[in-house]
Amino acid sequence: MVVRSWRHIKERYNLIGVRCKNCGTIYFPTREICPKCRRKTEFEEIKLSGKGKVYTYSVVHVAPKDFEKQTPYVIAIVELEEGPKITGQIVDCKSEEVYIGMPVEAVFRRIKEDGDDGVITYGYKFKPIEN
């Protein structure tokens, strides 16, 4: 589990995506084949802003193992300003305050603690942007 986490540091810690050099489409997480071009192409890394809006969401009342203490919590698909849609938890607000179209920004937070060793996994979550 720890090894897999280290492989995703760029994405998880810095919101690094890729832009297809052929068609210009931006993807997150990174990939090697462009689904739009339908072929292997060259990509360039791009730092995503982390800002976007809630595209859709769900309130989790019965959580999987390791997340039971957080219930209820909101998991959303966030459409980033650059175009990709990514999944993340909405934090720093009550679940009843979340709405479709709500402006949010990525924040770096604790995700969970793994196993008996207590290895803490960090990553992005989203919080409302104050207007």
Side-chain angles (χ1 to χ4, degrees):
M1 182 63 129
V2 175
V3 174
R4 185 171 56 195
S5 293
W6 281 101
R7 269 188 260 148
H8 298 289
I9 283 181
K10 274 192 208 177
E11 290 104 351
R12 185 173 289 155
Y13 291 6
N14 297 305
L15 283 180
I16 301 295
V18 291
R19 178 185 292 125
C20 175
K21 287 187 174 183
N22 187 49
C23 70
T25 304
I26 297 172
Y27 297 101
F28 181 87
T30 60
R31 56 196 67 212
E32 295 191 20
I33 296 176
C34 178
K36 188 172 182 181
C37 295
R38 298 183 185 251
R39 63 180 174 190
K40 191 165 182 145
T41 186
E42 286 188 45
F43 290 96
E44 60 185 343
E45 286 188 352
I46 179 171
K47 170 84 168 103
L48 302 170
S49 69
K51 293 183 178 180
K53 61 184 177 181
V54 173
Y55 184 77
T56 189
Y57 70 95
S58 182
V59 180
V60 177
H61 294 279
V62 180
K65 184 179 180 295
D66 297 330
F67 295 93
E68 301 96 335
K69 293 179 184 176
Q70 297 181 32
T71 59
Y73 62 90
V74 177
I75 291 294
I77 295 176
V78 173
E79 183 174 21
L80 297 176
E81 289 177 344
E82 296 86 357
K85 293 180 180 85
I86 65 175
T87 304
Q89 184 178 354
I90 305 296
V91 296
D92 297 349
C93 68
K94 296 177 182 174
S95 59
E96 57 270 11
E97 296 172 342
V98 178
Y99 59 93
I100 292 174
M102 182 172 87
V104 294
E105 65 183 349
V107 291
F108 187 71
R109 297 285 172 86
R110 176 185 171 150
I111 303 291
K112 67 176 188 163
E113 191 173 311
D114 283 331
D116 297 332
D117 294 336
V119 176
I120 298 172
T121 303
Y122 292 92
Y124 61 85
K125 295 184 180 186
F126 292 91
K127 72 173 189 169
I129 295 176
E130 305 279 331
N131 289 333

